Amino acid sequence: MRWVFAAWALPMGLFWGWYFLSLNNIHFGYVMLTRDAHDIVFQLYGNMLGMDPDIIPGLVARACILDTLLILGIWAFRRRKEISVWVRGRRDRYFGVEPSPNA
């Protein structure tokens, strides 16, 4: 699962790091991080997809959120026993253990 998290987090970090640095024109002398390159990249993607380049970052963000939820769902399914023990412990800690009724 570590490799899955790494394979998910590395491209996300690279893309969103590039996106916000180039969006704010923080380029450190590197041409790919300039605002002009940012606009050209999204114009190119917009032309290839036949859509307005301004909506592409929102679509990418929604896809990243969906990917994140899927990865977290798989992780939670694999760790469901540990998570249920943790939830029971928290519930007992905050709400106390109710005695079972004697019939």
Side-chain angles (χ1 to χ4, degrees):
M1 201 69 198
R2 242 178 260 170
W3 290 102
V4 172
F5 281 133
W8 162 82
L10 184 63
M12 294 283 248
L14 287 173
F15 173 76
W16 289 111
W18 168 80
Y19 178 78
F20 286 112
L21 286 174
S22 65
L23 180 68
N24 296 311
N25 203 21
I26 304 171
H27 53 83
F28 305 110
Y30 185 57
V31 176
M32 193 58 196
L33 294 177
T34 62
R35 179 61 191 225
D36 294 334
H38 175 92
D39 293 337
I40 289 170
V41 166
F42 282 105
Q43 185 66 44
L44 179 67
Y45 284 147
N47 290 339
M48 285 191 300
L49 296 172
M51 59 177 38
D52 183 28
D54 294 334
I55 64 170
I56 294 174
L59 295 173
V60 172
R62 287 184 9 203
C64 290
I65 290 169
L66 178 66
D67 289 347
T68 301
L69 292 175
L70 287 173
I71 294 290
L72 290 176
I74 291 168
W75 176 80
F77 182 75
R78 291 176 53 107
R79 304 275 191 236
R80 63 188 179 272
K81 290 180 184 176
E82 293 92 355
I83 292 172
S84 67
V85 168
W86 181 80
V87 167
R88 270 191 234 113
R90 293 290 178 200
R91 186 184 62 215
D92 293 344
R93 179 178 171 195
Y94 289 113
F95 298 114
V97 179
E98 300 266 338
S100 59
N102 294 332

